[in-house]
Amino acid sequence: MNHLVAPSILAADFANLQRDIELINNSDADWFHVDIMDGVFVPNISFGFPVVNAVKKHAKKPLDVHLMIVEPDRYLKEFRDAGASGMTVHYEVCPNLHRTVQHIKELGCRAGVALNPHTPVALLEDIIADLDMVLIMSVNPGFGGQRFIENTYKKLKDIKELSSKYKPNLLVEVDGGVDERNADDLIIAGANVLVAGNSVFSAADPLTAIANLKNPAAVSRS
Ligand code: DX5
Ligand code: ZN
């Protein structure tokens, strides 16, 4: 499949959020990546339902909601109602992960599970067939603009092995420190959804940055 690009609005200008949403609407991007942080699972707080509702009002592309929160089950319906097309929960905070994944699907959303950098891919063996997407964190969750962790490539190899065995059409999303320089290598390693915050919104020309993430082979050859 052709890979997808999901700019993270965490790096947008919140005082000009509608402008930045229109920018994504008019770009080659596929999804909006929406980071929800609770200050408990991760040492940062981002935003909640009123902001997601406001984004949904203007967004013309699906909302890919990344829940960096404890007890996500309590809020799944509210995020679906706020406009989520897909919801990704963290393995590290879901003691009844199978139930949580079924709940996301029953709500009519794409179900994803995220792994922190230290969480082995092998832990997903008995759930991977039920998942639509796995999100590999390539930084420790909580902040945009961090440095990419190189061990991500090893995890992509592991997830490729697991998915070819149990779930060939799995979406594999990489999140954190993704830019024009590593995008091509990530896709070759098996990623098919690239999240990018700072490398898009801090670029001199965000539309070109997104286009380059959509076509990274051309960039790395130039
Ligand atoms: C980090 C978030 C990321 C973040 C990515 O906890 O999950 O989605 O916004 O930002 P960059 O691309 O700047 O690393
Ligand atoms: Zn994210």
Side-chain angles (χ1 to χ4, degrees), residues 8 10 33 35 37 66 68 137 139-146 175-178 195-199:
S8 167
L10 187 67
H33 185 79
D35 287 309
M37 303 176 179
H66 178 190
M68 286 162 275
M137 285 305 308
V139 298
N140 287 295
F143 303 93
Q146 301 181 81
D175 186 6
V178 174
V195 175
N198 278 264
S199 68

Side-chain angles (χ1 to χ4, degrees), residues 93-216:
V93 289
C94 292
N96 301 293
L97 186 58
H98 185 271
R99 180 183 295 149
T100 305
V101 165
Q102 299 313 321
H103 188 185
I104 295 173
K105 290 180 161 182
E106 280 159 23
L107 290 167
C109 293
R110 180 175 36 70
V113 170
L115 300 180
N116 271 350
H118 71 278
T119 306
V121 163
L123 291 169
L124 296 178
E125 178 158 6
D126 290 323
I127 187 88
I128 197 162
D130 293 299
L131 303 181
D132 298 305
M133 186 167 87
V134 170
L135 184 163
I136 304 287
M137 285 305 308
S138 40
V139 298
N140 287 295
F143 303 93
Q146 301 181 81
R147 193 151 126 215
F148 179 85
I149 297 172
E150 294 293 326
N151 189 53
T152 302
Y153 292 108
K154 187 241 169 208
K155 295 182 83 167
L156 287 171
K157 188 168 160 273
D158 293 346
I159 198 84
K160 206 174 189 174
E161 272 172 38
L162 215 54
S163 72
S164 63
K165 197 165 165 198
Y166 298 106
K167 182 83 184 184
N169 56 352
L170 184 75
L171 290 167
V172 177
E173 183 172 56
V174 177
D175 186 6
V178 174
D179 59 25
E180 291 174 13
R181 291 184 303 277
N182 56 20
D184 195 34
D185 287 343
L186 289 168
I187 287 156
I188 291 167
N192 49 34
V193 186
L194 300 180
V195 175
N198 278 264
S199 68
V200 165
F201 288 102
S202 301
D205 179 355
L207 287 178
T208 303
I210 292 168
N212 289 343
L213 289 169
K214 275 301 273 186
N215 194 7

